[in-house]
Each structure stands twice: as structure tokens, then as C-alpha cells.
Amino acid sequence: MVNLKLSLPLINNIQPTDNLTTSVNVTLQEQANYQIKCHYRLMAVIVHLGDIFSGHFVTYRRAVQSGPTVSSSWLYCSDELVKTSTLTEVLDANAYMLFYEKM
């Protein structure tokens, strides 16, 4: 079993590399426009508890909030148990899968 702790960015800026932008002849204006559209916000973290042969999946996810703003509250979800969680717990989790939402 691999137990590797990764850093989970709350905002992920997925930019093309210099090699990619130069190889496809993207203009500076096009590159600037593209960069604006490359920000993603962490919305959920899936965690596997157990080992390679058995275990359980739990989820940390942002709480639902009405309106255009994004909630800063997090929930821990495991089967029928749903409870509030802290951002520290989310970022300290041993993530199996991350879900990001385009900003």
C-alpha cells in the first residue's frame, strides 16, 4: 500500500506549459485569455480508509450555499453520517481523488 501525503491546493491554476503554447503558435493575447479561464476551486476530496484488500470511502465536500458565492464550510460524509468539518481536516486528509470546479 502506498501512503503518500500530497498537498491539496484550494485553487488550482492549470496553465499550459511554455512548450505547449510555443509549439501551437498561440499569440500573447490568446494566451492571456486562456490563462484567465484556467482556475479551478477544490470542491470535494475522496478518501480511502483501509488497505488494498478492503476499506471504506469517505468524502469531504463543500457545503451547499445558495446564491453566487461559494461556501467556505466543509462537510464530512460517510454513509449515513454527515457532520461539519474544518478546512484543516480536509487539507490533512490522505486524498484518493480530488474534484475541482471551474471558477
Side-chain angles (χ1 to χ4, degrees), residues 7-25:
S7 173
L8 309 180
L10 283 177
I11 303 293
N12 201 350
N13 187 1
I14 303 172
Q15 298 287 338
T17 64
D18 289 339
N19 292 339
L20 176 62
T21 55
T22 55
S23 67
V24 294
N25 297 323

Side-chain angles (χ1 to χ4, degrees), residues 13-76:
N13 187 1
I14 303 172
Q15 298 287 338
T17 64
D18 289 339
N19 292 339
L20 176 62
T21 55
T22 55
S23 67
V24 294
N25 297 323
V26 176
T27 67
L28 290 177
Q29 182 60 47
E30 289 171 330
Q31 185 175 354
N33 291 341
Y34 183 74
Q35 289 174 352
I36 293 170
K37 301 173 186 174
C38 296
H39 291 89
Y40 293 81
R41 176 185 302 114
L42 183 64
M43 295 303 288
V45 177
I46 307 298
V47 177
H48 181 259
L49 306 171
D51 59 30
I52 195 169
F53 300 106
S54 66
H56 181 70
F57 289 98
V58 298
T59 302
Y60 291 95
R61 61 168 299 229
R62 283 189 191 266
V64 175
Q65 180 173 323
S66 62
T69 59
V70 174
S71 175
S72 60
S73 301
W74 287 85
L75 300 173
Y76 170 89

